[in-house]
Amino acid sequence: MTDLTRLPGHALARALRTGEASSREIVGAHLDAAERENRALNAWLVIDRHGALAAADAADARVAEARASGSDALDALHPLHGLPVALKDLVSVAGVQCTAGSRILEGYIAPYDAHITERLRAVGGVILGKTNMDEFAMGSSTEHSAFGPTANPWDLETVPGGSSGGSAVAVAAYHAPFALGTDTGGSIRQPAALTGTVGMKPTYGRVSRYGIVAFASSLDQIGPFARDARDAAALLHAVAGRDERDSTSAPVDVPTALVDLPGDDEAAAGLRGKRLGLPREYFVAGMAPDVERRIREAVAALETAGAVVEEVSLPHTEYGLATYYIVAPAEASANLARYDGIRYGPRLTGGDGGVLATYLRTRGEGFGAEVKRRIMLGTYALSAGYYDAYYLKAQKVRTLIKGDFDALWAQGFDALVAPTSPTVAFRFGARLADPVAMYLSDACTLPVNMAGLPGVSIPCGLSEGLPVGLQLIGAPWSEARLFELARGYEAITSGADWRALEPTDLAAASDQATPTPARRLAELAPAE
Ligand code: GLN
């Protein structure tokens, strides 16, 4: 029998409808893989076998009912019905721990479902568990998790990117066909690039953030990971849409095109005549020459297929990083004020037992170094006398960054093509000592968040044996078009050698006495 974990979601959905596989079999196969290989990868913080199998049985019962009432009822099931989904550990699932990768939330059990959790349950999706992440989504490597780093299945000595590294790895390592993450400055697209998966940050407002641990509220967006564009689009379809409980979620229709992407021939033909901009500023200083080569080859392939690619300029790109590191920490410092040891997570009482001492000890020991760095940066940027100089100024520059993109949409570009990450996956520890080097990992993704736009990263080959991601950026609400372009690129490269390659032999790696993440954790731990 074929290994069910190797099939994409749309193939599993077909198997479920024809009766070739049950949700219990599909979910069971993925749970087995996740449990077997998590020692080597540390991608999962919670694997909820019991809850997942119960949801799978319920999904199978629905399939049986639908089958009894005819093929229309089977067709009406959502493409995600009965299939496994991994959730970044900042999405609330009632009754399940939610840590956001932080000690300060260790043992905190979410009392309710996030909006996207409700949506997944409503379409019959099966939640397998919660995935590892940089603490409060601050980072680009998943090394800032309080629960140890996640390893990249393509090379276990390298990082998977971040902050949604666990979700990216769950998909890349075939533990789940679908995963959700959040992207505040690149945290879906950059790990997607580094693990050879598809990851989209939708338009700001496309998905409700109700029940998601907040990092920077004007930038955070939830989005999908999958191994191809069709699956990623179907997952976005399942969770998108207006929700009264998040006033920033927009009353914009969710396109049905997301669950009806074209087949290979139509998708490839659809590239003809598409006008794509290639922003010259995205070939940033420090970009690996071989990564640039892969991107230019992908652009050439799109041109051969009939797309019209023109070099364009986004002149304020260079200010993206600086403005992001004012806006994001400022908003984070406000959002993280709620973790005081009184309302959430463990409470560490101070020496005199007073409330101030409790705050200080809980926050002092509960937050990691990167989170403290952000709180200090943000508090400073918002403080009296500095607000105008930093926060307000950054918001003005943000408007200029958005204006760069608006000018291109006004000229009629269908999308922009760019690198997602300037380099492939880097080795553990390589950027830990230098926060600015870590921040530069997101130079090509941050401006898209600043402008509130959708962006998707898709695999476009390998460099040094590691995946490279191509980024497609679109006008607001153009997710379906971005996925159609992504489908087109998949169609014209479906025969490429690199498409057939798979990550490392994880079963063997899991048998090692001390797998990489455990060893890294030991190395990082302060000496007694
Ligand atoms: N790496 C960026 C940061 O550390 C972006 C993180 C994110 O998108 N959540 O802030």
Side-chain angles (χ1 to χ4, degrees):
M1 190 178 156
T2 40
D3 178 352
L4 291 170
T5 65
R6 263 30 190 191
L7 298 179
H10 45 91
L12 293 170
R14 218 174 308 121
L16 198 64
R17 281 156 186 72
T18 58
E20 283 164 83
S22 66
S23 174
R24 180 171 260 271
E25 286 164 350
I26 294 167
V27 169
H30 286 89
L31 284 169
D32 290 348
E35 285 170 353
R36 188 173 61 233
E37 292 164 4
N38 204 38
R39 278 190 79 228
L41 295 171
N42 198 31
W44 298 85
L45 297 180
V46 173
I47 300 174
D48 182 16
R49 174 172 280 272
H50 185 78
L53 288 177
D57 288 343
D60 281 330
R62 279 285 321 276
V63 173
E65 260 172 52
R67 189 168 294 121
S69 48
S71 62
D72 281 359
L74 271 182
D75 289 344
L77 294 174
H78 193 275
L80 253 75
H81 184 88
L83 303 186
V85 188
L87 297 181
K88 186 176 184 178
D89 198 27
L90 45 51
V91 180
S92 300
V93 178
V96 177
Q97 177 175 266
C98 186
T99 67
S102 182
R103 286 271 170 236
I104 211 164
L105 282 173
E106 195 172 10
Y108 164 71
I109 306 293
Y112 65 98
D113 277 346
H115 177 75
I116 60 169
T117 308
E118 289 176 1
R119 296 282 307 143
L120 286 173
R121 294 193 203 278
V123 300
V126 175
I127 295 163
L128 289 194
K130 309 291 291 293
T131 58
N132 201 8
M133 57 181 284
D134 284 299
E135 185 174 5
F136 287 103
M138 297 170 186
S140 308
S141 67
T142 316
E143 290 168 292
H144 292 310
S145 167
F147 307 104
T150 295
N152 189 328
W154 288 88
D155 175 349
L156 297 172
E157 295 299 324
T158 67
V159 304
S163 64
S164 311
S167 286
V169 169
V171 169
Y174 301 93
H175 296 174
F178 301 103
L180 284 162
T182 54
D183 190 313
T184 303
S187 279
I188 293 174
R189 289 160 290 155
Q190 185 256 11
L194 270 46
T195 58
T197 54
V198 174
M200 173 180 271
K201 175 226 170 276
T203 311
Y204 184 77
R206 180 60 99 178
V207 184
S208 163
R209 293 175 291 112
Y210 176 80
I212 309 296
V213 177
F215 165 12
S217 306
S218 76
L219 298 162
D220 298 345
Q221 252 308 284
I222 293 132
F225 287 95
R227 290 190 299 272
D228 65 28
R230 276 169 77 180
D231 281 358
L235 177 55
L236 176 62
H237 181 269
V239 298
R242 168 74 182 161
D243 166 29
E244 291 297 322
R245 298 165 296 185
D246 173 1
S247 59
T248 67
S249 78
V252 175
D253 285 344
V254 179
T256 50
L258 291 173
V259 285
D260 195 18
L261 289 184
D264 274 8
D265 292 348
E266 199 191 323
L271 293 173
R272 223 166 289 146
K274 285 285 180 308
R275 207 170 150 216
L276 305 175
L278 184 66
R280 73 172 70 93
E281 292 82 359
Y282 280 54
F283 295 90
V284 294
M287 179 154 193
D290 201 42
V291 169
E292 172 161 353
R293 231 168 274 136
R294 287 299 92 73
I295 301 297
R296 300 221 182 253
E297 284 164 11
V299 170
L302 289 166
E303 283 181 306
T304 306
V308 182
V309 183
E310 291 166 49
E311 192 174 280
V312 296
S313 175
L314 294 163
H316 296 94
T317 301
E318 64 170 306
Y319 304 110
L321 195 77
T323 46
Y324 174 87
Y325 279 99
I326 299 291
V327 173
E331 294 181 13
S333 72
N335 276 326
L336 269 54
R338 76 191 70 180
Y339 304 106
D340 53 10
I342 308 296
R343 287 166 294 182
Y344 302 90
R347 179 179 309 172
L348 303 178
T349 44
D352 64 358
V355 71
L356 184 61
T358 298
Y359 290 162
L360 293 176
R361 195 164 158 231
T362 301
R363 289 171 69 85
E365 292 180 30
F367 287 135
E370 183 61 26
V371 173
K372 288 179 186 164
R373 183 153 41 233
R374 307 286 179 111
I375 292 174
M376 286 190 281
L377 266 173
T379 309
Y380 181 78
L382 290 177
S383 56
Y386 293 103
Y387 181 91
D388 290 354
Y390 294 113
Y391 190 71
L392 206 61
K393 187 66 148 258
Q395 292 291 22
K396 289 179 181 167
V397 178
R398 187 174 180 177
T399 305
L400 295 175
I401 292 172
K402 180 171 179 298
D404 286 354
F405 288 103
D406 288 344
L408 295 180
W409 311 138
Q411 288 171 44
F413 282 95
D414 290 296
L416 308 181
V417 278
T420 306
S421 161
T423 68
V424 291
F426 43 96
R427 297 179 78 76
F428 283 113
R431 297 183 192 170
L432 268 187
D434 179 357
V436 176
M438 187 73 91
Y439 298 171
L440 279 167
S441 314
D442 300 313
C444 303
T445 49
L446 296 169
V448 175
N449 300 72
M450 298 305 278
L453 302 174
V456 64
S457 181
I458 57 176
C460 70
L462 301 176
S463 166
E464 305 158 49
L466 294 169
V468 176
L470 177 74
Q471 187 176 200
L472 300 169
I473 302 166
W477 318 114
S478 69
E479 290 89 348
R481 189 197 295 152
L482 290 181
F483 278 128
E484 281 159 13
L485 291 168
R487 270 295 299 129
Y489 181 75
E490 286 174 356
I492 60 173
T493 55
S494 62
D497 297 345
W498 54 268
R499 290 243 178 238
L501 297 174
E502 283 205 8
T504 327
D505 180 358
L506 297 169
S510 303
D511 291 339
Q512 281 175 23
T514 314
T516 314
R519 184 169 49 70
R520 274 302 294 164
L521 190 58
E523 285 167 10
L524 292 171
E528 289 295 319

